[in-house]
Amino acid sequence: MENLMFVYCSCKVIWTLLVTILGYASSLPLGDDSICTAEELAKYSIIFTGKWSQAAFPKQYPLYRPPAQWSSMLGVTHSSDYNMWKKNEYASNGVRDFAEKGEAWVLMKEIEEAGEKIQSVHGIFSAPAISSGTGQTSTELQVHSRHPLVSFVVRIVPSPDWFVGVDSLNLCDGDRWMEEISVDLYPYDAGTDSGFTFSSPNFATIPQDTVTEITCSSPSHPANSFYYPKLKILPPIAQVTMVKLKKNQLAFPIPHLNQPAKSNEILDSFSETPLDCEVSQWSSWGLCRGPCRKQGTKIRTRFVLLHPANNGTPCPDLEEETACDPDNCV
């Protein structure tokens, strides 16, 4: 009996310790921000650079109604308890509205509600739109040692529901804030609209799909505006750089921003993307023409779907002729 009581007491002690340890662990913040021991606050300039040029992305490049451009940037500094968007997960209603129409009201409400409920949001920031595919825009943001993550979205205009951005980029490295960080950006599909091209009409994806990265081979449909099957990887369509501001820099504006690219300064790291000619299928053979009782000819044609660019494969012959026996001869 004494042995049984000893075992019971021992198990009770172990269970109590286990519950205490698990309770303590559950109270710790989750994710990478749990190890941030840097000074409480840091301020950064964030510079968004559009690299969406006709040379780098020649296929169906939007030249008018509307031309290639970028929406305003909407971002947030937060802890790991919050995600603005996440690859392979469903976009929120706010992200859907922003990616499809550039409307930020619902997304702002979602961010505010997350901040009020679980104190996961430190601040919201925004930067002006860019009226061309290449150019820069900037703003400033503040991070906190308990909220060292940065997320933002910028809509690709025109597009069905395509955007670029970062998800939970950690600016804290242990006991210090990063001095500078640059990230190449690639296009994402919000999974809410089924268009393949920049100018596709609105066609809702039902049921909704998850957020996916658009690559040179996915979606694999030839009509896809980013479909470049001969490339291994798309060139970055944009880049974001965050620079930690020193105390004596906090009020200084960043020069030369919100200006379209005027030289190869922004695009000098890219070679031109070759675009091969694409042609339609052959038409049916036409009528056989020629004098009766002699050999005649008939032709078929095809037309150019996509003109070549940047030393891509030139177009093949658009007309073909073959011998035949003339029609309607007595």
Side-chain angles (χ1 to χ4, degrees):
M1 189 67 178
E2 290 179 359
N3 289 337
L4 288 174
M5 286 299 294
F6 176 76
V7 171
Y8 170 76
C9 291
S10 298
C11 290
K12 188 174 181 180
V13 170
I14 293 171
W15 175 252
T16 302
L17 287 172
L18 183 59
V19 169
T20 302
I21 292 169
L22 289 174
Y24 172 73
S26 66
S27 68
L28 291 174
L30 300 175
D32 292 341
D33 51 328
S34 62
I35 59 172
C36 183
T37 57
E39 59 182 334
E40 192 172 64
L41 294 174
K43 199 167 188 179
Y44 284 81
S45 67
I46 177 169
I47 305 166
F48 177 88
T49 303
K51 298 189 174 186
W52 185 17
S53 69
Q54 190 172 11
F57 299 91
K59 187 173 183 180
Q60 302 165 1
Y61 188 81
L63 295 173
Y64 54 88
R65 289 190 287 182
Q69 57 191 274
W70 300 96
S71 77
S72 58
M73 173 193 289
L74 181 59
V76 61
T77 56
H78 59 95
S79 69
S80 59
D81 296 315
Y82 172 79
N83 286 102
M84 173 182 273
W85 64 276
K86 201 169 188 64
K87 184 179 177 181
N88 299 326
E89 294 189 4
Y90 293 105
S92 67
N93 291 335
V95 171
R96 177 199 64 201
D97 286 357
F98 192 87
E100 289 189 14
K101 298 174 283 188
E103 296 177 358
W105 187 84
V106 175
L107 183 53
M108 290 281 289
K109 291 295 291 182
E110 291 174 352
I111 295 170
E112 290 171 5
E113 288 172 3
E116 291 171 0
K117 285 181 181 178
I118 53 177
Q119 303 296 308
S120 58
V121 172
H122 179 69
I124 300 173
F125 59 90
S126 64
I130 303 174
S131 60
S132 62
T134 59
Q136 291 183 323
T137 187
S138 73
T139 188
E140 293 180 357
L141 60 90
Q142 189 180 70
V143 284
H144 188 278
S145 57
R146 293 194 301 274
H147 303 86
L149 308 181
V150 175
S151 296
F152 71 82
V153 287
V154 180
R155 180 177 181 244
I156 298 173
V157 183
S159 74
D161 60 341
W162 302 342
F163 69 95
V164 297
V166 297
D167 166 36
S168 303
L169 178 65
N170 196 344
L171 296 182
C172 183
D173 182 14
D175 62 352
R176 67 180 185 89
W177 294 105
M178 293 186 181
E179 292 297 322
E180 181 174 339
I181 184 169
S182 292
V183 179
D184 288 332
L185 304 177
Y186 299 89
Y188 280 89
D189 187 321
T192 61
D193 193 291
S194 297
F196 275 123
T197 66
F198 296 120
S199 57
S200 292
N202 184 40
F203 185 66
T205 302
I206 302 175
Q208 180 177 335
D209 203 351
T210 57
V211 174
T212 55
E213 184 177 351
I214 300 172
T215 70
C216 55
S217 58
S218 178
S220 60
H221 198 289
N224 176 18
S225 292
F226 287 111
Y227 185 67
Y228 296 93
K230 289 191 174 181
L231 295 182
K232 291 183 178 180
I233 186 172
L234 284 175
I237 196 170
Q239 184 183 67
V240 65
T241 299
M242 281 168 265
V243 181
K244 185 174 179 291
L245 299 177
K246 295 179 172 61
K247 291 182 180 179
N248 61 355
Q249 292 179 312
L250 298 185
F252 283 24
I254 299 172
H256 308 305
L257 300 178
N258 284 325
Q259 297 293 324
K262 296 180 180 178
S263 67
N264 291 330
E265 171 178 277
I266 292 176
L267 303 172
D268 58 0
S269 61
F270 296 114
S271 58
E272 295 180 333
T273 300
L275 183 64
D276 296 338
C277 178
E278 293 182 15
V279 295
S280 68
Q281 298 294 319
W282 286 110
S283 68
S284 300
W285 287 104
L287 295 175
C288 186
R289 304 292 185 182
C292 290
R293 292 178 295 280
K294 290 187 179 181
Q295 193 175 63
T297 58
K298 59 183 178 180
I299 63 172
R300 61 179 182 176
T301 60
R302 55 188 174 186
F303 57 90
V304 176
L305 295 172
L306 194 65
H307 288 279
N310 304 329
N311 297 315
T313 303
C315 294
D317 292 337
L318 301 179
E319 185 175 294
E320 190 173 69
E321 182 179 292
T322 189
C324 61
D325 295 323
D327 298 319
N328 301 321
C329 283
V330 178

